[in-house]
Amino acid sequence: MALAPGVVAHTSTVPPQKYRIRTVVLDAGHGGKDRGCAGTSAREAQVALKTVLELGRLIEQNMPDVKVVYTRKTDVFVELADRAGIANKHNADLFISVHCNSGPSVAYGTEVWTMGPHKTDANLAVAKRENAVILQEDDYKERYNGFDPRSPQSHILFSLFQSAYMVNSIRFAQHIDAEFKTRVQRHSRGVKQAGFLVLWKTAMPSVLIELGFLTNRNEEQYLNDKSGQSYMASGIYRAFRTYRDELEGTSEG
């Protein structure tokens, strides 16, 4: 637009809004009537909850500018769709769901999952086990658009959700995996993808963490111990700190 003679154009002095991670939602898998998988004495719902509460404590203590929201803080049952709903309601910038694994007694190690197409039958099996929780929910077929957790075809179609957030989900997952391998010194089974209902419709980067196998006696002992839970929580916390620093373009100690 032309300016009158003698009039100086003024550019805005307001700097562009800097991206900040303001809210993170922490999701302890299972709970209440859904105990999840089990070892000799440990229960997935309890191990996940204790680890999540410790992770939340670390974030709240060291990052007072980040709001921490929990899908549950006690032993209660929360439907999978409601977990994503909590994250969306609070306009979260990141969703972290914590679980434990089950399998043959010789299986061990951590896994970090993001939403995406499963590459192997083993990946599909993990998603089917975690997604089977909805069979305990009322009217699950209506709530999940006819999704059948027992059907491989449902998982194939379902895994295409969340593609908009896939890059940052994988970025964060890789940081978690690196922390588990190097600082926590756990055996890693890698970063993987599959169609998880709990990540469905979360309008933000999201990961699902399998802390280890409760069906392995050594891992069960580690994960059922307060110090083991603390180590795992601290690894996730450091990964979150690195991820936040990358996205915000800052460097903190």
Side-chain angles (χ1 to χ4, degrees):
M1 184 176 68
L3 297 173
V7 176
V8 179
H10 291 280
T11 58
S12 173
T13 58
V14 179
Q17 188 70 28
K18 186 176 181 180
Y19 178 77
R20 310 290 295 181
I21 293 182
R22 303 181 185 278
T23 304
V24 58
V25 170
L26 304 183
D27 173 50
H30 308 277
K33 64 181 179 180
D34 172 28
R35 301 189 305 171
C37 67
T40 304
S41 59
R43 299 290 180 267
E44 179 179 7
Q46 287 298 319
V47 173
L49 179 60
K50 291 175 181 177
T51 305
V52 155
L53 292 177
E54 174 61 14
L55 171 60
R57 186 191 69 81
L58 289 170
I59 297 173
E60 291 166 338
Q61 177 178 294
N62 296 289
M63 301 177 180
D65 57 324
V66 175
K67 180 181 179 181
V68 178
V69 176
Y70 302 85
T71 59
R72 69 181 182 97
K73 297 184 76 172
T74 58
D75 187 24
V76 296
F77 180 72
V78 182
E79 296 187 351
L80 293 188
D82 292 338
R83 296 172 190 259
I86 290 169
N88 293 336
K89 176 183 175 182
H90 287 87
N91 296 313
D93 302 292
L94 190 63
F95 180 83
I96 305 173
S97 187
V98 176
H99 293 253
C100 298
N101 224 332
S102 68
S105 60
V106 294
Y108 68 102
T110 64
E111 295 174 345
V112 189
W113 296 82
T114 67
M115 194 72 167
H118 63 270
K119 301 293 196 299
T120 67
D121 289 341
N123 288 20
L124 174 61
V126 174
K128 287 175 71 174
R129 181 178 67 81
E130 296 293 0
N131 291 343
V133 172
I134 67 168
L135 297 175
Q136 301 186 46
E137 300 181 16
D138 296 330
D139 302 321
Y140 74 88
K141 288 185 178 179
E142 289 75 19
R143 295 202 69 190
Y144 298 97
N145 299 340
F147 179 86
D148 183 352
R150 296 158 294 197
S151 165
Q153 289 75 21
S154 284
H155 286 84
I156 291 170
L157 294 172
F158 187 72
S159 66
L160 301 176
F161 281 96
Q162 256 242 330
S163 59
Y165 306 101
M166 190 177 292
V167 171
N168 278 344
S169 296
I170 293 174
R171 180 203 298 254
F172 179 47
Q174 289 172 336
H175 287 313
I176 298 171
D177 186 59
E179 286 290 340
F180 284 169
K181 286 189 290 190
T182 58
R183 296 286 288 273
V184 188
Q185 297 189 329
R186 295 288 312 284
H187 171 69
S188 164
R189 294 166 63 95
V191 173
K192 305 179 180 183
Q193 290 182 307
F196 289 94
L197 278 166
V198 73
L199 305 182
W200 182 48
K201 290 189 176 179
T202 51
M204 73 243 16
S206 304
V207 299
L208 184 146
I209 302 166
E210 297 280 7
L211 299 172
F213 286 78
L214 294 185
T215 45
N216 179 295
R217 293 295 297 274
N218 291 332
E219 287 210 323
E220 178 191 16
Q221 185 176 8
Y222 179 86
L223 295 172
N224 206 29
D225 183 78
K226 186 176 181 179
S227 62
Q229 294 159 6
S230 179
Y231 281 127
M232 298 303 290
S234 65
I236 303 168
Y237 165 74
R238 286 192 297 269
F240 172 58
R241 184 178 61 187
T242 301
Y243 172 80
R244 187 190 69 155
D245 290 349
E246 281 185 354
L247 264 60
E248 295 185 355
T250 62
S251 179
E252 297 177 6

